[in-house]
Amino acid sequence: MRKIVEIQKKLLPDLLQVMEKRYEILHRIHLEGTIGRRTLATSVDLTERVLRSELEVLRAQGLLDTAAAGMTLSESGRQLVEEMEPIVKELFGLSALEEAVRTAFGLKRVIIVAGDSDTSDHTKMELGRAGSRVLRDSLTAGDVVAVMGGSTMARMASQFATPSQMKDNWFVPARGGLGESVDYQANTIASELAKRTGARYRMLHVPDHLSEEAYQTIMQEPNVREVVDMIRSARIVVHGIGDAATMARRRKLKDETKEELVKDGALAEAFGYYFDRNGKVVHRMATAGLRLEDIEAAGIVIGIAGGSSKGDAIASVMRFGHDDVLVTDEAGATEALRHV
Amino acid sequence: MRKIVEIQKKLLPDLLQVMEKRYEILHRIHLEGTIGRRTLATSVDLTERVLRSELEVLRAQGLLDTAAAGMTLSESGRQLVEEMEPIVKELFGLSALEEAVRTAFGLKRVIIVAGDSDTSDHTKMELGRAGSRVLRDSLTAGDVVAVMGGSTMARMASQFATPSQMKDNWFVPARGGLGESVDYQANTIASELAKRTGARYRMLHVPDHLSEEAYQTIMQEPNVREVVDMIRSARIVVHGIGDAATMARRRKLKDETKEELVKDGALAEAFGYYFDRNGKVVHRMATAGLRLEDIEAAGIVIGIAGGSSKGDAIASVMRFGHDDVLVTDEAGATEALRHV
DNA sequence: GAATGTTGGACGAAAAACGTCCCGCTATGC
DNA sequence: GCATAGCGGGACGTTTTTCGTCCAACATTC
């Protein structure tokens, strides 16, 4: 059963949403016994006219009887709702989890894919796909998108698919070199995204470990300056989330910095900043690009991360409070909720 | 798996068709390796523009790569097609059967539901539902619909559902009393259909076994005349199909008539006429209503019958050659094909 | 019997789908 | 090396569908 639904998800991307909506309508009517169109509209959160079209479909399917007092489920409608009840949980169980995470962290939108990225490569891929879909749907013409690095972001980029060219969009790395391997660098990812969409991109090459003067000098370079300005004006920011210890190791931070991080309770990392349990910034990487205030000013900030092991890091960054959208997996979401 | 698809069929009636179409597109591309839009359009029988929208969806799902030489399946597209191959047969197997029956009898359209009405009540219901859907979709404003009797027709009527009122339609019995029990009479069915749709109906009460004079007299009655005229002008005719022996028994024909039927090789019955193996009319019931020439003149003639046992009767009536649409079940269709 | 809430019809505005044509590009065959 | 056929994709006017909004007719309830 699982398999056919997976296939359908690919072949008819918004099938499940329609299905869920219609089930919700039937379910509501089932609960109320008999209910009027307007009342129903507010309770399932549809405009009256849209609901009406839905009802026409359901009526045409013979699932719905309608009288002057309101609408009732027909026998086969009632039967359908009852048959669906167990299936619904499996099909749409994640929606409930999404809603829970959304309210817990006060986000605009949460997308959760099934599984655990820690143990399943398939889930990792799906996480990437889901992330790319979110980004695609968020894009409007002319947007500048700042992306971060990391393996999750790389997978997101490799899964990105667009129905049409996006010639007037820009992809830029959110921050300069952060010591990642080249495949996972923000620069690489920005360029891949651009390549896959027909959009344009800029790279930002800032050597690591610059002295303050050198940094200031390089920032005066017109072409560096230009990219940085573009980055800072990004309307959309997409970033992964790491746990602090792992990131520190991978980026080969100095031992004393690591100790400092531990002392400050650094738990999570995102766009070059380290966060403690409460979402407070306790450290920042020394490189150019997006500053905290730019993140606050960005239109849409999208965080992508999954896996049970990243649960607390996700929670920590979400507490930071400037993300709008979180894309994660079942395990990550469940774990994050335990750290609210 | 079966179950969830059944549910989806009810909740999203044209889901499977869309799914099939998209699969067909992917499959074709898979076969060709790389193919252009225009060539593809003719080969899957879509206009260029419509195909293009479909392709955009598929591309957005990352199933499709596109180059200057044409389109190719992406890795995950190829994977999807291969995964689907076994499933397709189960999901869309009936479409192939439909097409086979359609060409075998030169029909406009064939709808086949899964199962065997002889052994499954569920299939009987589905047959009724399918029939009602066909009728609904065939209806246009102002149409007069002539319906016959029988248990299948009764189920069709009881399953009829419409999204909106049909105030300017008429339902009439195709022919007068044919000695059926009241639930299965054409009159009853016409009235039920009218009731379920908000349409109007007329009944035709003609006693059985009238003498010729009495028949002529009653036909002069203005209100009888009026109904008969309306029947004869019906744009849509819907009828069941019975096997001759059973119908003769049920209608309590005289023994000599039965013998005559046997002698003439009567195999099937529909709208009061008996047909032999070749679809030739060998007998007609003496009652008022639709004549053969009216059937020939009707816009749409819909036959509904299922069950393995009715296979040859179905074949016989289809050979008669004036049906446009056949609604049957898997067993009936398979059996009918063996009698082509 | 009035008031309230119901469905369903109607209609114009907005959006989506569609048919059609064209352009620039590339692979291929000569 | 060049002509050419076939490719994807952009563009645009038209048609169809969807949607918001208002209203009429009707049943139910108080």
Side-chain angles (χ1 to χ4, degrees), chain B residues 37 39 52 59 71:
Chain B
R37 199 204 310 141
T39 331
R52 207 162 141 183
R59 181 161 41 236
M71 289 164 300

Side-chain angles (χ1 to χ4, degrees), chain B residues 54-112:
Chain B
E54 295 297 322
L55 290 174
E56 270 165 22
V57 175
L58 297 174
R59 181 161 41 236
Q61 290 303 106
L63 303 171
L64 210 54
D65 284 336
T66 145
M71 289 164 300
T72 323
L73 289 194
S74 73
E75 185 43 42
S76 59
R78 200 160 20 247
Q79 212 171 308
L80 184 77
V81 170
E82 271 152 27
E83 274 176 17
M84 277 195 79
E85 230 136 58
I87 295 179
V88 160
K89 210 178 158 189
E90 182 168 353
L91 283 184
F92 312 128
L94 296 182
S95 332
L97 191 52
E98 284 172 356
E99 184 57 20
V101 173
R102 200 185 68 76
T103 53
F105 297 107
L107 297 167
K108 288 220 187 75
R109 198 171 157 214
V110 173
I111 286 86
I112 299 178

Side-chain angles (χ1 to χ4, degrees), chain A residues 51-217:
Chain A
L51 173 64
R52 206 161 138 185
S53 318
E54 295 296 321
L55 290 174
E56 270 164 21
V57 174
L58 297 175
R59 181 161 42 235
Q61 290 303 104
L63 303 171
L64 209 54
D65 285 334
T66 145
M71 288 164 302
T72 324
L73 289 193
S74 73
E75 184 45 40
S76 59
R78 200 161 19 248
Q79 212 171 308
L80 183 76
V81 170
E82 272 153 26
E83 273 176 18
M84 278 195 76
E85 229 136 60
I87 294 178
V88 161
K89 210 178 157 191
E90 181 168 354
L91 283 184
F92 312 126
L94 297 182
S95 330
L97 190 53
E98 283 171 357
E99 184 57 21
V101 172
R102 201 185 66 77
T103 54
F105 297 107
L107 299 166
K108 289 218 186 75
R109 197 171 156 214
V110 174
I111 287 85
I112 299 178
V113 302
D116 185 346
S117 296
D118 285 353
T119 58
S120 151
D121 283 346
H122 180 251
T123 301
K124 283 186 191 171
M125 292 308 267
E126 285 301 320
L127 188 66
R129 251 169 58 85
S132 71
R133 208 157 39 220
V134 168
L135 174 55
R136 165 162 57 82
D137 296 344
S138 307
L139 276 175
T140 54
D143 281 343
V144 175
V145 181
V147 298
M148 277 301 303
S151 65
T152 304
M153 290 296 296
R155 258 188 304 273
M156 189 276 280
S158 75
Q159 298 281 315
F160 202 96
T162 170
S164 61
Q165 301 279 75
M166 307 191 311
K167 285 186 179 163
D168 51 356
N169 286 100
W170 286 91
F171 287 95
V172 292
R175 302 203 61 190
L178 288 172
E180 303 257 8
S181 80
V182 73
D183 280 352
Y184 298 161
Q185 273 176 23
N187 277 324
T188 317
I189 289 168
S191 82
E192 166 143 18
L193 281 170
K195 225 173 296 169
R196 297 186 70 87
T197 57
R200 283 172 293 184
Y201 67 99
R202 284 298 184 81
M203 290 206 176
L204 180 64
H205 294 292
V206 181
D208 296 350
H209 312 302
L210 280 183
S211 67
E212 185 60 23
E213 310 94 276
Y215 175 77
Q216 292 301 341
T217 315

Side-chain angles (χ1 to χ4, degrees), chain A residues 187-316:
Chain A
N187 277 324
T188 317
I189 289 168
S191 82
E192 166 143 18
L193 281 170
K195 225 173 296 169
R196 297 186 70 87
T197 57
R200 283 172 293 184
Y201 67 99
R202 284 298 184 81
M203 290 206 176
L204 180 64
H205 294 292
V206 181
D208 296 350
H209 312 302
L210 280 183
S211 67
E212 185 60 23
E213 310 94 276
Y215 175 77
Q216 292 301 341
T217 315
I218 208 171
M219 283 296 279
Q220 300 307 319
E221 283 294 320
N223 47 358
V224 171
R225 189 72 240 168
E226 194 185 342
V227 177
V228 170
D229 283 345
M230 185 176 271
I231 291 172
R232 293 185 173 167
S233 72
R235 195 181 80 89
I236 300 181
V237 178
V238 193
H239 65 90
I241 295 170
D243 91 281
T246 313
M247 293 308 291
R249 200 171 341 109
R250 192 182 303 165
R251 286 176 182 164
K252 304 193 184 65
L253 296 194
K254 275 177 285 184
D255 282 352
E256 56 188 77
T257 321
K258 285 192 203 165
E259 281 164 25
E260 205 176 310
L261 282 174
V262 173
K263 187 169 63 65
D264 291 339
L267 204 72
E269 187 276 350
F271 30 81
Y273 290 80
Y274 289 83
F275 302 86
D276 71 4
R277 180 165 306 282
N278 300 312
K280 201 157 87 36
V281 174
V282 293
H283 186 74
R284 68 179 289 256
M285 301 285 291
T287 185
L290 219 61
R291 296 157 304 178
L292 282 185
E293 58 259 45
D294 303 320
I295 290 168
E296 292 168 18
I300 305 177
V301 180
I302 303 173
I304 311 182
S308 173
S309 64
K310 281 197 182 170
D312 54 353
I314 293 171
S316 162

Side-chain angles (χ1 to χ4, degrees), chain B residues 128-139:
Chain B
R129 251 170 57 88
S132 71
R133 208 158 38 222
V134 169
L135 174 55
R136 163 161 59 83
D137 295 345
S138 306
L139 276 174

